[in-house]
Amino acid sequence: GDSVTQMEGPVTLSEEAFLTINCTYTATGYPSLFWYVQYPGEGLQLLLKATKADDKGSNKGFEATYRKETTSFHLEKGSVQVSDSAVYFCALRDSGYSTLTFGKGTMLLVSP
Amino acid sequence: EAQVTQNPRYLITVTGKKLTVTCSQNMNHEYMSWYRQDPGLGLRQIYYSMNVEVTDKGDVPEGYKVSRKEKRNFPLILESPSPNQTSLYFCASSSNSGTGGRGYTFGSGTRLTVV
């Protein structure tokens, strides 16, 4: 079945540092890939997505590129802010199916 | 505003006392789903519904029931709650149409404690 593996956290960074959160996946079809963000006490919000190989999703300074050859969708940001502190979830939605499969989430803590 | 509304946000109940968590969406989405979120386990799907009167089990359906009598509503029912159902619950919805590139819209969550 489909699965998503994320790096375990927490990831602790200083403000303005470079961020990478690794995500790899296993899927039977041609999935769409997503990153969701959960701020403390809130629900999940869609951060960015990519629907086919080599697509790059981007939003709020975050980027991720759909790499079919390495089955990866790593999240990056060039300069993090304290307000980026949150839990980040990688997810996939396989073609022809509606269920979204999530990774376990990675907590990011950014200090001033 | 397009949204998924869950109620209540917080609930403390006792073992065995039936409860219902409501979920409603105003986007005319066909697909709705319930997840629970637990530390170290991420989000796990409880039940989902592809459309009215069509529901199916997710990864952790034991102890839960759902119904989909109307397109907009998808309540989660715990007939006899137990302490291991203490968790943070999320409802989500999505359109079924087009490719898989449509993400979910999530509710704000329901923090349930069973004592």
Side-chain angles (χ1 to χ4, degrees):
Chain A
D2 296 345
S3 66
V4 176
T5 303
Q6 291 181 234
M7 60 188 293
E8 289 193 23
V11 173
T12 305
L13 295 173
S14 298
E15 205 164 26
E16 300 183 2
F18 184 85
L19 168 71
T20 300
I21 299 178
N22 290 338
C23 170
T24 57
Y25 67 90
T26 303
T28 52
Y30 300 93
S32 294
L33 302 173
F34 304 84
W35 277 101
Y36 280 82
V37 58
Q38 184 181 30
Y39 297 104
E42 297 184 14
L44 280 75
Q45 302 172 27
L46 179 63
L47 180 60
L48 56 83
K49 68 178 184 182
T51 58
K52 60 184 188 298
D54 300 323
D55 268 2
K56 177 186 281 189
S58 61
N59 187 24
K60 300 181 181 180
F62 290 89
E63 293 182 340
T65 301
Y66 189 141
R67 301 285 189 201
K68 191 166 185 289
E69 64 276 11
T70 55
T71 61
S72 65
F73 193 55
H74 305 320
L75 183 68
E76 297 181 336
K77 187 176 186 183
S79 176
V80 294
Q81 306 299 312
V82 172
S83 57
D84 294 327
S85 297
V87 180
Y88 293 81
F89 291 91
C90 186
L92 72 81
R93 192 173 191 182
D94 213 339
S95 57
Y97 293 88
S98 287
T99 292
L100 205 57
T101 300
F102 286 91
K104 292 186 178 180
T106 303
M107 179 178 289
L108 170 65
L109 300 170
V110 181
S111 55
Chain B
E1 180 189 354
Q3 60 185 356
V4 175
T5 303
Q6 289 179 235
N7 279 297
R9 288 293 308 273
Y10 301 92
L11 179 60
I12 301 175
T13 190
V14 296
T15 300
K17 185 177 181 183
K18 181 179 178 179
L19 66 92
T20 299
V21 183
T22 64
C23 174
S24 180
Q25 52 92 4
N26 62 0
M27 296 164 282
N28 202 35
H29 283 166
E30 297 87 1
Y31 181 88
M32 297 186 75
S33 180
W34 278 102
Y35 287 84
R36 62 178 288 174
Q37 183 180 14
D38 301 288
L41 298 176
L43 284 101
R44 295 179 293 169
Q45 191 177 49
I46 303 170
Y47 269 95
Y48 65 95
S49 169
M50 300 285 282
N51 215 323
V52 176
E53 301 290 3
V54 181
T55 63
D56 210 344
K57 296 177 181 178
D59 299 318
V60 288
E62 294 78 20
Y64 304 94
K65 282 176 58 178
V66 294
S67 68
R68 188 89 182 274
K69 293 184 170 59
E70 305 166 282
K71 199 171 188 180
R72 63 182 293 124
N73 295 323
F74 191 46
L76 180 69
I77 303 156
L78 285 72
E79 295 264 357
S80 183
S82 61
N84 65 11
Q85 293 179 297
T86 293
S87 187
L88 178 59
Y89 291 86
F90 288 103
C91 181
S93 74
S94 172
S95 171
N96 269 355
S97 63
T99 68
R102 297 179 185 271
Y104 288 7
T105 301
F106 280 84
S108 298
T110 296
R111 171 84 57 191
L112 172 66
T113 302
V114 183
V115 298

